[in-house]
Amino acid sequence: MRHVQRPGSRQLRFILLVCLFLVVSNSKSPAQASHITFSEISIEEGLSQSIVSCVIQDSTGFMWFGTEDGLNRYDGYRITVLRHDPREANSLGYNEILSILEDRSGILWIGTFHGGLDRYDPVAKRFTHYRNDPNDPNSISHNIVRTICEDGAGMLWIGTDGGLNRLDPETGKFTRYRHDPNLPASLSNDTVLTIVEDGSRAIWIGTDGGGLERYDPQQDAFIHYRADNDDSRSLAHDTVRSLCEDRDGVLWVGTDSGLARLDKERSVLTRYVNDPDDPHSLSDDQIYAIYESRSGVLWIGTDGGGLNGFDRASGEFIRYINDPNDDTSITYNQIRAIYEDRSGVMWIGTYGGGVNKFDSKQKQFLLFKPIVNEPNSLSHDIIWAIYEDDAGYLWIGTHGGGLDRLDRRTMQYVHYRHDSADPSSLSHDIVRVICEDRSGVIWLGTNGGGICSFDRSTEKFTTYRHDPGDPGSLSHDQIRSIYEDHSGIIWIGTNGGGLNRFDRESQSFKHYGTDPNDPHSLSNDFVRVIYEDSRGIFWIGTQGGGLNRFDREKETFTSFQIDTDDPNSISNNFIFSIHEDTSGALWLGTWGGGLNRFAVEQETFSCYTTKDG
């Protein structure tokens, strides 16, 4: 942020922020472009169990979560849990849920662990069970149902621990596809973990040990894609846990040894794996979930590396991992399900951390904070001042960590600290004010070490401090504001020493303070803010003495303070910020008196408080 430079005056380009915890950014990863604020739905909110294997939203807007202890329906306020009741034939068939699908008619299909397939009619609120019958070849082939997919013709494809099944919902009959070692074109493995139909109506199947399969209905045969250690363009592993076709028709394959991108025309796979030395690589190689959001982000859920957002243009992964010190981070690093609802909220099912959600459309903040044993991080988490120079570097004044310079292109920090043995070091590690003058010198106001000018060519500081024996020294060592006016003069506001004018030639300071016998002196010696408006009028905001107009030629002050009998007076004598709008009116931020608009010509104030919205 920079103030608009008005004709005849040079506005200092600084931001003085009193923010105790800087909510703007940090991670070890320079590639991390945004911080996601996650919120959690847990057992405390009524979730029946913290392991969430699947998430969907039905056509009426309800969210459904499949857990290891029942099926959960969430209306945005409360959770209703549906469980197996051995005394009720039409209850849920088994409490451990592995998969959920809503078909085109609004029926829910639920895959369970050992309870077979359930059909749920949300209108009748009844479950119908489909279980394996050893005497019926048209029954489902196994009672562990891991995945369900509806194809374009309305057929259901069901992946079980006993092969692939196709269900005709009209007849209720299953067609089985099993592995036959004597038939090379049969299913490669009977444990089916994931199924997806692509844009060309091809059915793709991920198996537990048999690699990736594509079903050819004309030949009633399966085409196999297997791992080959001698071929880097093949699958890296034969356990395929997740599949997703993106909007460009690319098939993404999640395996136990990383992510693969399949070029379906050439049958060539490109691998993406974890590299411990590359923070932009995939965070973990065991992939349980892949999902493309409507915004085009490809989300990857891993078994220990949290959630990854994949930037396909750069080939870089952004990691979202649980941070025990951050309540807004993802709650658990084992991800089992990813889903986007119709409003753009992303839902993440975890293996032990309940459901996490975040709004993909909401502007997110990236958090910069100190990292233990990581020198390339912010030096302190209390920030008093931020300034961006012409080169794009951020200068950060901290409360005890000195001065930090951040290069946002490389995300590298340089730290400047006080060293009592080095007179050319920073004078104090609490830096309250930062600004840059027209010659490029950085000026720093500290909380006890006076002011410093920083020469970037030599990387040395020159310190100016209060000396009781020198009337030309700085009046006070606690600094609250620094300002360069249109003529290039540096002005300093102190905490108790009034206003100082710096003479560069003599390297001395002239003081302007409160004199109880002089009504035209500065109204208070605690100077919070200094501002020169477009007319060249100099304004001083004090802590306790209101607003002062300073006539620099006559060296006299006119103060504007609260008058409880005058509704047009300023509302509070603690002034923290001053800004001029395009009409020439001044806007004043106060500490307890709301916002004030000052009509300079009329010398009247209008006050806006919480009562005004």
Side-chain angles (χ1 to χ4, degrees):
M1 293 177 61
R2 293 184 177 178
H3 295 297
V4 177
Q5 184 171 331
R6 302 187 185 281
S9 71
R10 173 182 169 84
Q11 302 295 340
L12 282 178
R13 298 157 299 161
F14 72 90
I15 309 169
L16 180 57
L17 299 179
V18 185
C19 43
L20 293 184
F21 292 95
L22 177 65
V23 190
V24 286
S25 117
N26 181 36
S27 163
K28 288 185 180 181
S29 169
Q32 184 158 343
S34 63
H35 172 76
I36 289 177
T37 300
F38 293 88
S39 59
E40 178 189 6
I41 297 174
S42 66
I43 293 172
E44 285 73 18
E45 285 73 46
L47 193 68
S48 64
Q49 215 264 350
S50 60
I51 295 175
V52 179
S53 299
C54 43
V55 179
I56 69 160
Q57 182 180 37
D58 69 21
S59 54
T60 62
F62 289 108
M63 298 300 302
W64 294 85
F65 311 131
T67 77
E68 287 195 354
D69 185 28
L71 182 63
N72 292 239
R73 188 187 70 184
Y74 181 53
D75 64 7
Y77 299 96
R78 62 186 63 86
I79 292 174
T80 301
V81 181
L82 307 178
R83 287 190 176 96
H84 172 65
D85 183 348
R87 296 163 298 182
E88 175 55 58
N90 294 315
S91 69
L92 182 67
Y94 199 84
N95 281 338
E96 186 170 344
I97 311 299
L98 299 178
S99 53
I100 312 173
L101 173 106
E102 184 188 36
D103 69 19
R104 62 190 64 187
S105 64
I107 296 295
L108 287 182
W109 297 87
I110 298 100
T112 73
F113 187 72
H114 288 302
L117 178 70
D118 275 14
R119 177 188 186 274
Y120 180 64
D121 185 333
V123 177
K125 298 183 178 179
R126 292 169 55 94
F127 289 89
T128 304
H129 313 301
Y130 299 85
R131 296 193 174 109
N132 173 253
D133 181 350
N135 299 316
D136 182 1
N138 292 317
S139 69
I140 194 166
S141 62
H142 202 280
N143 286 332
I144 297 179
V145 177
R146 297 190 179 275
T147 182
I148 311 167
C149 171
E150 183 180 28
D151 69 18
M155 298 293 108
L156 296 183
W157 295 82
I158 297 105
T160 77
D161 277 15
L164 177 68
N165 293 248
R166 186 182 66 201
L167 170 63
D168 184 336
E170 295 295 325
T171 65
K173 292 186 177 182
F174 294 82
T175 303
R176 301 176 180 177
Y177 302 87
R178 301 290 299 268
H179 172 62
D180 185 341
N182 298 314
L183 293 176
S186 70
L187 187 68
S188 63
N189 188 286
D190 279 339
T191 302
V192 176
L193 302 177
T194 181
I195 307 169
V196 70
E197 182 186 43
D198 70 14
S200 65
R201 297 285 180 91
I203 300 294
W204 295 85
I205 303 103
T207 71
D208 187 9
L212 176 67
E213 306 278 275
R214 179 170 65 85
Y215 176 62
D216 184 342
Q218 276 73 35
Q219 302 296 324
D220 193 28
F222 292 86
I223 299 166
H224 313 304
Y225 299 80
R226 301 295 297 268
D228 183 348
N229 292 333
D230 297 324
D231 184 358
S232 62
R233 299 177 300 173
S234 70
L235 281 176
H237 201 284
D238 279 334
T239 296
V240 176
R241 298 186 183 274
S242 50
L243 294 169
C244 174
E245 185 188 38
D246 69 18
R247 63 186 61 185
D248 297 323
V250 173
L251 187 69
W252 295 89
V253 184
T255 77
D256 275 5
S257 291
L259 178 70
R261 178 187 186 276
L262 174 62
D263 183 330
K264 290 183 284 188
E265 292 186 2
R266 297 188 298 149
S267 295
V268 171
L269 290 110
T270 303
R271 299 177 184 176
Y272 301 87
V273 297
N274 172 256
D275 179 352
D277 297 323
D278 183 1
H280 314 320
S281 69
L282 190 65
S283 64
D284 185 85
D285 283 338
Q286 197 166 15
I287 311 299
Y288 268 80
I290 310 173
Y291 192 95
E292 184 184 35
S293 66
R294 288 192 293 275
S295 63
V297 176
L298 194 69
W299 297 99
I300 317 297
T302 74
D303 190 46
L307 182 68
N308 289 240
F310 183 45
D311 184 337
R312 281 166 280 189
S314 67
E316 295 184 349
F317 294 83
I318 302 170
R319 302 173 180 182
Y320 301 94
I321 299 173
N322 173 254
D323 179 351
N325 298 315
D326 182 0
D327 291 338
T328 68
S329 70
I330 198 163
T331 59
Y332 216 73
N333 288 332
Q334 291 177 281
I335 310 301
R336 290 296 181 266
I338 307 172
Y339 186 87
E340 182 180 22
D341 70 19
R342 290 192 291 276
S343 67
V345 173
M346 300 295 300
W347 300 80
I348 315 298
T350 74
Y351 192 77
V355 180
N356 286 240
K357 66 175 183 173
F358 66 90
D359 189 343
S360 61
K361 302 189 300 298
Q362 183 179 353
K363 296 291 185 181
Q364 302 291 343
F365 288 86
L366 183 61
L367 178 65
F368 287 77
K369 64 181 181 181
I371 300 173
V372 177
N373 298 323
E374 174 53 66
N376 189 45
S377 67
L378 194 67
S379 63
H380 202 282
D381 57 9
I382 298 179
I383 309 301
W384 288 112
I386 308 172
Y387 173 75
E388 181 189 27
D389 68 18
D390 285 333
Y393 290 107
L394 279 188
W395 298 82
I396 303 153
T398 76
H399 187 81
L403 176 70
D404 288 357
R405 188 189 72 192
L406 173 62
D407 184 340
R408 287 176 292 173
R409 293 165 298 183
T410 63
M411 297 297 286
Q412 296 297 307
Y413 287 87
V414 177
H415 305 296
Y416 301 92
R417 301 293 297 267
H418 172 63
D419 181 354
S420 57
D422 182 3
S424 64
S425 70
L426 183 67
S427 65
H428 200 281
D429 282 336
I430 299 178
V431 178
R432 297 293 295 257
V433 187
I434 307 171
C435 75
E436 181 182 15
D437 68 20
R438 62 189 62 191
S439 66
V441 173
I442 299 287
W443 292 84
L444 307 166
T446 74
N447 196 60
I451 63 172
C452 295
S453 63
F454 179 59
D455 186 332
R456 283 178 283 187
S457 63
T458 63
E459 294 262 307
K460 292 185 181 299
F461 296 85
T462 301
T463 299
Y464 303 88
R465 299 194 62 163
H466 172 62
D467 180 354
D470 181 2
S473 70
L474 187 68
S475 65
H476 202 284
D477 281 339
Q478 291 191 15
I479 310 302
R480 291 298 180 269
S481 53
I482 304 176
Y483 195 92
E484 182 185 43
D485 68 18
H486 73 278
S487 63
I489 295 173
I490 298 290
W491 299 84
I492 300 99
T494 71
N495 177 8
L499 179 68
N500 287 242
R501 178 184 186 273
F502 180 55
D503 187 318
R504 295 178 195 253
E505 291 187 7
S506 65
Q507 296 283 290
S508 63
F509 297 84
K510 183 170 185 177
H511 311 145
Y512 301 87
T514 302
D515 181 350
N517 299 314
D518 182 0
H520 298 296
S521 67
L522 184 67
S523 63
N524 190 284
D525 281 336
F526 194 148
V527 175
R528 273 282 181 185
V529 59
I530 306 168
Y531 189 87
E532 184 177 30
D533 69 17
S534 58
R535 309 168 186 84
I537 301 173
F538 219 54
W539 301 94
I540 313 297
T542 71
Q543 184 162 317
L547 179 68
N548 287 245
R549 182 176 62 209
F550 182 38
D551 186 326
R552 284 167 286 180
E553 290 186 3
K554 297 179 181 179
E555 297 190 327
T556 58
F557 295 84
T558 302
S559 68
F560 300 87
Q561 300 192 42
I562 185 170
D563 181 350
T564 54
D565 295 325
D566 181 2
N568 294 318
S569 72
I570 197 168
S571 66
N572 189 280
N573 285 338
F574 289 70
I575 311 300
F576 267 65
S577 55
I578 305 174
H579 176 75
E580 181 182 18
D581 67 21
T582 54
S583 72
L586 295 183
W587 293 84
L588 312 173
T590 74
W591 192 358
L595 180 67
N596 283 248
R597 181 185 185 275
F598 180 44
V600 177
E601 301 296 333
Q602 293 79 20
E603 295 190 354
T604 58
F605 293 84
S606 303
C607 179
Y608 303 90
T609 69
T610 52
K611 293 180 180 178
D612 304 295

